[in-house]
Amino acid sequence: MTFHEQIQEGIPSVLPQPKPYDPEINHAPKRKEILSAEEKKLALRNALRYFEPHHHVELIKEFSEELENYGRIYMYRLRPDYKMYARPIYEYPGKSEQAKAIMLMIQNNLDYAVAQHPHELITYGGNGAVFQNWAQYRLTMKYLSEMTDEQTLVMYSGHPMGLFPSHKDAPRVVVTNGMMIPNYSKPDDWEKFNALGVTQYGQMTAGSYMYIGPQGIVHGTTITVLNAGRKISKNGEGLEGKLFVTSGLGGMSGAQPKAGNIAGCITVCAEVNPKAVHTRHSQGWVDEVITNIDALVQRVVKAKAGKEVVSIAYQGNVVDIWERFDAEGIYVDLGSDQSSLHNPWAGGYYPTGLSFEEANTMMAEQPELFREKVKDTLRRHAAAVNRHTAKGTYFFDYGNAFLLEASRAGADIMADDGINFKYPSYVQDIMGPMCFDYGFGPFRWVCASGSPEDLAKTDAIALRLLEEMAKTAPAEIKQQMEDNIRWIKGAQENRLVVGSQARILYADAEGRIKIAEAFNKAIANGEIGYVILGRDHHDVSGTDSPYRETSNIYDGSSFTADMAIHNVIGDSFRGATWVSIHNGGGVGWGEVINGGFGMVLDGSTDASRRLQSMLFWDVNNGIARRSWARNDEAIFAIKRAMEAEPLLKVTLPNKVDDALLN
């Protein structure tokens, strides 16, 4: 069968032969036993409903074994035979160019070079899934190949509910992931309902088809490291010779060593999974790999003496680094952590004293013991960090729920008031006031042609516009503009592409609209092919997350989710090609509501109209909320937006004299 025929086939009428489990692939850990005997029967009923009854006898034993062996029914047998990667848009079958673009993005999320656990349809974060099983993937791709621009595909947590009549300005796809009744959003609820096959954890950009490999976070990580360096610098010195210690090389966290190199420091990043270490090293995202702690100590001493710019992956546990560097007197300038602590009991964080294999076995077979060992390691981790910060280390929470889970484990991590943490979230200290409040966030685009030449042309267009805007930018955002220009100038030489020909750039509403409009004109003139716009959910407006994206909201509303819900509703009727809203994000199931969008630029006047309407709202919705929280930077930004757009009228806060309250 041709590629087109396989896509259009959907769930095959003649079942493919079972596929052997490939040990060379990085697989998701076995999930813990969570279902009762009756619930296991329900999970099988739910899985088998994708297939004609005459297939049930053949499949029920296989699916039962998957549930027993892996804790989930992935339907490995249905994994396609064709290579999984983002093909040029014209290679996809279909009646809608917008739908073809979405197929491209789905396949990019599952590309072996991009996805963390590709056979389990997990893109990053240990559990960030595009689909729950391969039947859902096949059926979704079939629907996309059939749909017209007068239909909308409805996605319920990976399940394609079906095509519904709509109109050309409606989203082609509407995605929800993990949208639970509030009282059913505890970690074990995810384990149970995901095992039943009725919901999934879409992470941020996994289940919304907008992940672009580790580049997706490397720009934000670079900005964070640069500004963390500025906070500790004396007399304007840079990061030369300074040491940044962190952990995590899977998925999003794999961006850290590359960002450290761009920022100009020494980066030591721990990772317990050998396959993740190999992947990032082979892709050029980390310079060196060290497996022995003694050798690591010697190498770091040498790097500090030589003021090298180098990234080192330590294959082992980050707690061992913090404790050993403390004992050796190695000064750590910057410290953080980016293991997947939103998922602490199912592979997001590993305890010390166990091999990777031993930990995975204990996780599945002795979950309570594993939980206790994780908690003990978190207490040791926090204690070691505390010893370093007492010497002057600047430590920040990287929004991965490290401080939250450490506090729940009883670690010494709380401030004197017993309410706040000892250490700030990077959003509180850096990204919130410096970027989000001004409207700067992770705007991204993908060249649907798959052409590196198109990507280079879009980089050049973006650079030209940024340099023009920088000439008249107000003083409050000069630094952000300069950082963006530095980033885009080095984008090609830093070899950031993994998977699709994509780019990320922190931009405000003005920048996003001007860049998108210039792309659309270039498409209309035949200079480049179609461009797919999107953003990380980790942005100005898309996410309500009290321990990360909205951690610098101090009016008491950081635990509300009105902004994220309004964002996705507003994007959907202002012209987004697809929209998504998720429970969970990067901080944890039940801890955050986050949403995103995708938009296809085809050079048309319709695309120009949509991009101006949608991108303006997508950013200024969040600035308005942040200004109402009395954030000075956001008040400045929303006033500037109202001056630029007379139809925008936002309620501004009145500040209260503290003396009246005291």
Side-chain angles (χ1 to χ4, degrees), residues 83-88 91-92 103-104 107-108 110-111:
K83 186 177 179 181
M84 190 68 69
Y85 69 100
R87 293 159 172 78
E91 292 189 17
Y92 291 93
M103 285 193 272
L104 181 161
Q107 291 201 316
N108 186 65
L110 295 171
D111 184 332

Side-chain angles (χ1 to χ4, degrees), residues 42-58:
L42 180 57
L44 290 167
R45 285 184 190 275
N46 290 343
L48 290 168
R49 61 184 160 179
Y50 286 101
F51 304 91
E52 295 291 339
H54 63 271
H55 291 312
H56 291 182
V57 172
E58 182 177 356

Side-chain angles (χ1 to χ4, degrees), residues 577-641:
T577 305
W578 73 96
V579 292
S580 58
I581 190 77
H582 300 177
N583 167 22
V587 184
W589 188 253
E591 304 284 359
V592 51
I593 299 295
N594 55 275
F597 75 87
M599 173 176 275
V600 179
L601 301 182
D602 59 7
S604 67
T605 54
D606 274 346
S608 177
R609 170 177 55 82
R610 291 171 185 146
L611 76 86
Q612 294 191 43
S613 174
M614 201 221 75
L615 292 177
F616 186 85
W617 157 260
D618 189 68
V619 175
N620 283 296
N621 165 51
I623 298 177
R625 183 268 179 93
R626 293 168 185 278
S627 73
W628 186 240
R630 295 182 292 270
N631 291 12
D632 289 334
E633 298 85 357
I635 293 172
F636 166 85
I638 203 66
K639 285 181 177 178
R640 186 165 174 253

Side-chain angles (χ1 to χ4, degrees), residues 212-216 218-219 258 262 285 487 490-500 502-504:
I212 57 169
Q215 179 188 177
V218 72
H219 187 17
K258 176 70 80 173
I262 296 170
W285 285 70
W487 166 264
Q492 295 280 332
E493 65 188 58
N494 283 314
R495 297 188 299 141
L496 297 165
V497 169
V498 176
S500 60
R503 184 68 70 229
I504 187 169

